[in-house]
Amino acid sequence: MRRPTVCAVLACSALLLLSATACTATGPGRDTESPSRPDGVTARAGSATSVHVMWERSTDDRAVTGYEVYEKGAKVKTVPGARRMTDIDRLTPSTAYTFTVRARDAAGNLSAPGRAVPVTTPAPTPDDRKAPSAPARLRGRAEGTGAVRLSWGRAADDTAVISYDIYQEDSRVHSVRGTATTARVTGLRPGTVYTFTVRARDAAENSSGDSNALDLTTAPGRGDGPSTAPTALKATATRTKAGVRAVDLSWTPPRTGGGGEVREHQLFLNGRLATTIVWGAVPPKGTATYRFTVGEPPGTRYSIKLRAKLPDGKWGDFSAQRTVVTR
């Protein structure tokens, strides 16, 4: 048998190496497609030193895993793919900025930048120490499975209200300019109860107290059953006859159907599990009540919510959140 020459062997080796390299770089498993660019980018000054940036969802052949916010070409913030808004802080008062947003997928592919949006932070008011009044008459409605629309009465301030901040439980989830009295909050989960409040803010970063709390429940998704959240939760700060600070709770346990009973509830304080409320005998019919004592000084703020253990052994949905300040 005739053997190939050295040159032929080297040529074959080079060809194999080139083929292997090509497969590694452009193999069928590699994601090379970039997400679509984010549309609807807006930027509004939230104070003399902050700007609230929002955008619409991008699409990708696999999944968008994050968004990058740029100011004149320099990256200033990265957020997860589930979020489509963020606050850029520590800015300079009375300064012009320009923001763009790019989407990113798991392979690191970046979209083209969205539309560049200019915004100018207002002048500071260092001698302003008076907070705006709280927004009044917060009301709203759920829009489908993943959004709500809110409206409120205008707040008053000795200088000017620069922005309104929307809170879901204890987290700020959205901001609008001070001339607006409506907002649409998106990215919510189907069949979930949310508790919203609104605060007014001026250019000196003075923030008002909370508006009234508003509970809204998004529509259930396809195939979802009824909500399993406790309803009508009320929390009242009180003192026992011995002078001990306490909080009284009342609520309506969820209806489970099938003749099962709810015998346990988990009580969460400030987002953490505090205790499990268990009825050893027959659970209460209709309204349930519970009192717990607290050792912190007067003026301590608690965020409270409940969830029930269902007859099948699983924990149900969380109730709306209530906030109480100890006396």
Side-chain angles (χ1 to χ4, degrees):
M1 179 182 293
R2 184 179 177 184
R3 296 183 179 180
T5 63
V6 173
C7 291
V9 172
L10 291 176
C12 291
S13 299
L15 181 60
L16 289 172
L17 179 61
L18 181 60
S19 299
T21 303
C23 291
T24 302
T26 60
R30 181 174 173 80
D31 181 7
T32 59
E33 184 172 336
S34 297
S36 64
R37 75 173 192 171
D39 290 326
V41 180
T42 61
R44 298 190 178 101
S47 71
T49 59
S50 67
V51 167
H52 185 71
V53 183
M54 292 181 58
W55 56 91
E56 296 176 3
R57 182 174 57 189
S58 295
T59 58
D60 186 62
D61 60 331
R62 300 192 181 182
V64 173
T65 60
Y67 293 95
E68 297 180 355
V69 182
Y70 293 79
E71 200 286 307
K72 294 179 180 176
K75 185 166 66 175
V76 293
K77 199 75 170 283
T78 300
V79 299
R83 293 189 60 188
R84 295 190 293 280
M85 62 183 70
T86 190
D87 290 295
I88 310 300
D89 300 310
R90 300 181 181 179
L91 302 178
T92 303
S94 303
T95 303
Y97 293 92
T98 301
F99 292 97
T100 54
V101 181
R102 302 179 72 177
R104 186 186 69 242
D105 63 19
N109 299 309
L110 284 173
S111 73
R115 181 176 67 91
V117 179
V119 61
T120 300
T121 52
T125 53
D127 296 331
D128 180 10
R129 299 184 182 181
K130 185 177 180 180
S133 63
R137 303 183 307 280
L138 176 62
R139 53 200 181 277
R141 66 181 186 275
E143 294 187 340
T145 59
V148 299
R149 188 172 295 278
L150 306 173
S151 62
W152 56 88
R154 197 178 304 278
D157 188 60
D158 58 338
T159 55
V161 173
I162 295 297
S163 66
Y164 289 98
D165 298 325
I166 293 89
Y167 286 78
Q168 195 282 307
E169 296 187 352
D170 298 317
S171 300
R172 186 172 68 178
V173 295
H174 192 27
S175 293
V176 296
R177 61 169 60 98
T179 56
T181 55
T182 63
R184 189 171 188 266
V185 181
T186 60
L188 307 179
R189 294 195 301 268
T192 303
V193 59
Y194 291 92
T195 302
F196 295 97
T197 54
V198 177
R199 300 176 192 172
R201 186 153 44 100
D202 62 22
E205 296 282 4
N206 298 311
S207 185
S208 75
D210 291 336
S211 69
N212 57 294
L214 177 66
D215 298 336
L216 293 174
T217 302
T218 52
R222 182 178 298 178
D224 291 344
S227 174
T228 57
T231 58
L233 175 62
K234 296 181 180 179
T236 305
T238 187
R239 280 180 178 263
T240 67
K241 292 182 179 179
V244 178
R245 286 180 291 279
V247 176
D248 286 337
L249 302 179
S250 66
W251 70 94
T252 302
R255 294 183 179 181
T256 58
E261 295 180 326
V262 173
R263 294 179 175 272
E264 298 181 34
H265 288 77
Q266 286 182 331
L267 169 63
F268 285 75
L269 298 181
N270 300 331
R272 296 183 178 182
L273 177 62
T275 189
T276 300
I277 305 167
V278 181
W279 284 276
V282 179
K285 301 293 184 181
T287 301
T289 60
Y290 182 73
R291 169 178 284 180
F292 64 93
T293 60
V294 294
E296 284 74 9
T300 302
R301 179 186 176 104
Y302 288 101
S303 297
I304 301 165
K305 56 185 176 181
L306 298 168
R307 65 177 179 179
K309 191 171 188 179
L310 307 178
D312 63 1
K314 294 185 177 180
W315 291 102
D317 300 325
F318 279 106
S319 70
Q321 180 173 284
R322 293 292 174 260
T323 301
V324 67
V325 179
T326 57
R327 301 191 302 177

